[in-house]
Amino acid sequence: MKLKSTLWALAFACAAVSCSDDLDEGPNNGNNGQEMNGTKTFMQVSINTGVVTRATGGEEGDSSSDKGETGKSNEYEVKDVTVVLFKNASGTAALTAFNYDSKLVAAGYVQTPGTSTGTENWHNRVATVEIDITDASEDFDGKTYGIIAVTNLGSAEKLKNRIKSDDINTGSELANLLQEQAWSETNGNETDFIMSTHNDQYGTDTKLFDCVTLHANATSENAPRADVHVERLAAKVRIGAHTNASQFIYSVEGENANDVIAKVRLDQVQLVNKQNRGTYLLKRVSENVTDETTKEIPTQGTNGDKYLANEVWNSAAGQTAFNYVIDPWSRKKVKLTADNKSTITNITGVDITSTTDQIITLNYENAYNSTSFSTLWTTISNGAITLASNETDFTNSEKKTISYTLENTVSAEASQAGYMTGALFKATYFPKEYMAVTQENGQQVVKPIPVDYNGKADGEGFGNIDKNTDASDINFYVYNGNVYKDHEAIFNEYVWNEQKNMASGVKVYAYSDFNTTNVTKIKIKDLMGSTLMQGAANDPFGYLQALKTKYKDQTTSDNNLTADDAFDQIVSATSESEDIKKKLAAITLYEDCICYYPYWIKHADNNKTTDMGVMEFGIVRNNIYDLAVSKITKLGLSGTDVPDPTEPGESKELRFIVDINVKNWVVRSNSDIIL
């Protein structure tokens, strides 16, 4: 696994090695003789979009040269800032990084921070914040405090007031807060992205956290200045075009590389299992493990997880270290089975956006759980990104945002379709040929024939399939890996094989004999005594076995079958025959040539196709996950197939090959997907 680098697309300007600049000390220095309240002071916060890249490290990026991207203006705009200051619990030792027992000593809040030093794009802003010291006895003058910063919480001073009231006074209490929404929406556009501190070691810098030295005599004009770094609570999933496809149309090859057996057009894509019920205000990770295949997340220690710490994924020669990013429900996502797949164990938390404690439980928008894929798509289609028919929107490698989402992580053991965030593609599958009943030398045979598209007969339209090709009047079935035009082709192929060695002049039954018009012409004793009925149990539809069971005591009857015995009457969706239902499950209908491809988004690919690794599947804050399908190898799932939440992220059946290139906002490129 490549080591990862960090770009801070939105940052409060990087502090180099030390804490913020200390102003000159002395009584009333710079405050024009004004006496300050003993529990209040001022500090400045520098707000900019600086870029900082780690030389080494585990979380974001494949290399230190990967600078990521700044993001759009709506993604880095800052409308308000909340500043929380902390010290060690003892208050006696040299200040250390934010911890579970860190004591919160002060808080400040300001709207519409400062003026810009450049163009009006919310870059390089400096805001002056009035700081309220929560403990009147705190002798803060000349002392250094760590900084936690949060942006865009809204006009109400929610977090500051809770800290002032001593409702929240420790590091763990602050870290355990849930933020239900990570952005706002205005007129259908995402705005006001909430961002919080992500302390880190930047490159060769020895600074481990952002800090400031306060002065009792500071004013808004001479306040000490601090540079702090934040990251978005949200992640983003995008889709782009691929050079291997034109108009999002892909060729599916047969056993021979140059043998094109079908074309697939990707029509739409939508996110599934979009976590939308809250995230921790501050990022956290688990204790390290030394095995990338560790199936369970390490148990939370007495002092909690690691707050504001790096995600580690390091498999360098002779060194291994791995950990999990923890969302509020990570440890509650137990492995799903057939018995518990409809149930997700919930945990509660406190939403700081509410005036009262609000209970939050896990919920997935567009949950991957439905009676069929067609039903699932109907449920989630609103907001889906159109691909093929909007091909011109993807020129110049432009990428479209499918959705923003919240952090969603899971153990390797529970990396299953019921939990993992993924992209569901709706596609049109155009087979070049299908098996059909046709005439050959005056005889009916089942053989491959071209499928007609674009109004062209004899398969001439296959070469001209494009974004406008309409397949709404074309259905096909799949049985034993073969594509058939209809039930007739499947049934006849079976019954003719069963009767191929019969003597001349003996009745050979075919699909047409069992339609509503002709079925009443069949004498019961003739059918029951036929060669065909000897192998009735192998009928792919269960139809012949149903007749054999029904008339098992009438083998000599001169009566004929009735209209109720017709093929379509017995082989139906409403049939109560369990045998028929079981048989029909192996025959898949593709109506209007529509199929579906689920893709589970990878965070840290371990390059092992059948073995889930630590953080292999997941969504982590401030990451961009770029999707680009490079190749499609097989037919997708039908509208009648049922989504299975217990399906593992990795399986023995390789569906995708993904090239993961990571950069910051952070961008994780899943740009070589094979469906």
Side-chain angles (χ1 to χ4, degrees), residues 173-392:
E173 289 174 348
L174 179 63
N176 287 337
L177 289 177
L178 297 189
Q179 176 63 34
E180 184 173 7
Q181 300 295 329
W183 65 89
S184 301
E185 291 193 13
T186 305
N187 298 324
N189 298 316
E190 295 84 359
T191 62
D192 304 344
F193 282 80
I194 294 175
M195 294 164 274
S196 66
T197 292
H198 182 114
N199 287 331
D200 200 358
Q201 184 171 346
Y202 302 95
T204 58
D205 192 354
T206 59
K207 175 184 168 297
L208 299 179
F209 56 93
D210 301 317
C211 51
V212 63
T213 301
L214 296 182
H215 299 287
N217 61 357
T219 69
S220 59
E221 287 75 29
N222 70 352
R225 177 168 168 170
D227 301 325
V228 296
H229 305 84
V230 297
E231 64 179 354
R232 301 169 188 83
L233 273 60
K236 181 165 65 171
V237 182
R238 299 189 304 199
I239 181 72
H242 199 282
T243 55
N244 289 356
S246 175
Q247 300 182 356
F248 287 91
I249 297 173
Y250 301 78
S251 295
V252 180
E253 299 174 347
E255 294 182 359
N256 299 319
N258 296 323
D259 181 20
V260 177
I261 62 173
K263 294 181 180 180
V264 181
R265 184 183 66 205
L266 297 181
D267 296 315
Q268 291 178 289
V269 63
Q270 177 63 293
L271 214 64
V272 293
N273 290 343
K274 176 183 174 182
Q275 209 275 93
N276 68 348
R277 293 295 290 149
T279 190
Y280 284 124
L281 184 64
L282 303 179
K283 184 177 179 180
R284 64 177 66 191
V285 298
S286 73
E287 295 290 339
N288 289 0
V289 298
T290 57
D291 183 357
E292 64 178 290
T293 62
T294 300
K295 300 304 181 183
E296 299 292 343
I297 299 173
T299 302
Q300 184 173 346
T302 304
N303 298 330
D305 293 309
K306 298 179 180 179
Y307 307 134
L308 306 178
N310 282 340
E311 179 186 350
V312 178
W313 212 111
N314 183 0
S315 58
Q319 299 181 1
T320 55
F322 312 90
N323 62 11
Y324 285 92
V325 176
I326 304 298
D327 75 33
W329 298 275
S330 295
R331 293 185 175 92
K332 298 293 183 177
K333 299 169 187 174
V334 298
K335 186 175 182 178
L336 297 171
T337 65
D339 295 329
N340 72 351
K341 66 180 182 181
S342 62
T343 303
I344 295 178
T345 303
N346 296 319
I347 148 183
T348 61
V350 178
D351 175 18
I352 66 173
T353 65
S354 177
T355 56
T356 60
D357 291 354
Q358 178 179 336
I359 300 300
I360 299 187
T361 56
L362 175 61
N363 183 52
Y364 287 119
E365 183 179 333
N366 299 346
Y368 189 78
N369 190 13
S370 185
T371 56
S372 68
F373 275 100
S374 60
T375 301
L376 174 61
W377 187 262
T378 299
T379 303
I380 71 172
S381 60
N382 185 37
I385 301 300
T386 300
L387 301 174
S389 61
N390 285 348
E391 184 207 17
T392 56

Side-chain angles (χ1 to χ4, degrees), residues 137 170 325 335 406 586 639 658:
S137 65
T170 68
V325 176
K335 186 175 182 178
L406 297 180
V658 183

Side-chain angles (χ1 to χ4, degrees), residues 387-608:
L387 301 174
S389 61
N390 285 348
E391 184 207 17
T392 56
D393 294 342
F394 291 86
T395 57
N396 300 318
S397 300
E398 183 178 355
K399 304 177 182 71
K400 300 296 179 183
T401 298
I402 302 175
S403 182
Y404 296 96
T405 184
L406 297 180
E407 213 157 48
N408 182 33
T409 62
V410 65
S411 69
E413 180 72 12
S415 293
Q416 297 169 281
Y419 296 126
M420 301 179 298
T421 300
L424 182 61
F425 294 86
K426 183 182 181 183
T428 304
Y429 187 93
F430 302 93
K432 185 178 183 178
E433 299 176 326
Y434 47 29
M435 302 291 287
V437 177
T438 185
Q439 292 284 334
E440 188 174 86
N441 299 323
Q443 300 289 327
Q444 278 194 334
V445 296
V446 178
K447 61 177 294 185
I449 66 169
V451 184
D452 297 332
Y453 302 107
N454 295 319
K456 303 289 187 178
D458 300 323
E460 294 181 5
F462 182 78
N464 298 317
I465 289 172
D466 59 18
K467 63 183 181 181
N468 298 315
T469 300
D470 184 11
S472 60
D473 60 343
I474 299 175
N475 301 334
F476 63 85
Y477 295 84
V478 175
Y479 176 65
N480 281 346
N482 295 320
V483 179
Y484 294 85
K485 180 181 180 181
D486 46 33
H487 280 170
E488 180 180 13
I490 300 172
F491 189 81
N492 276 353
E493 184 175 60
Y494 166 73
V495 298
W496 289 349
N497 283 333
E498 288 291 303
Q499 303 170 102
K500 62 183 179 181
N501 297 320
M502 292 176 54
S504 177
V506 178
K507 170 65 176 176
V508 176
Y509 293 96
Y511 179 85
S512 58
D513 293 310
F514 298 97
N515 61 32
T516 304
T517 301
N518 296 327
V519 71
T520 57
K521 302 175 184 178
I522 298 176
K523 199 175 287 293
I524 294 174
K525 68 178 181 182
D526 292 341
L527 178 64
M528 296 297 285
S530 67
T531 300
L532 178 62
M533 296 303 282
Q534 294 176 13
N538 299 319
D539 171 19
F541 296 94
Y543 171 68
L544 297 177
Q545 184 61 45
L547 292 180
K548 189 173 183 178
T549 300
K550 181 177 180 179
Y551 294 109
K552 63 181 180 179
D553 297 325
Q554 303 182 46
T555 57
T556 60
S557 174
D558 286 327
N559 295 326
N560 291 358
L561 299 180
T562 69
D564 291 338
D565 296 323
F567 182 92
D568 289 341
Q569 292 295 315
I570 293 181
V571 182
S572 67
T574 60
S575 174
E576 295 181 358
S577 171
E578 292 301 319
D579 181 66
I580 290 178
K581 289 181 179 180
K582 184 178 179 180
K583 291 290 185 66
L584 287 177
I587 301 173
T588 308
L589 169 64
Y590 287 81
E591 193 170 6
D592 302 328
C593 294
I594 293 173
C595 68
Y596 301 89
Y597 295 94
Y599 172 72
W600 305 113
I601 298 172
K602 288 192 172 184
H603 180 73
D605 195 352
N606 66 359
N607 296 312
K608 298 178 181 179

Side-chain angles (χ1 to χ4, degrees), residues 92-112:
T92 57
L95 180 63
T96 58
F98 184 79
N99 203 348
Y100 76 99
D101 62 351
S102 295
K103 181 173 177 56
L104 310 185
V105 300
Y109 173 87
V110 63
Q111 286 184 287
T112 315

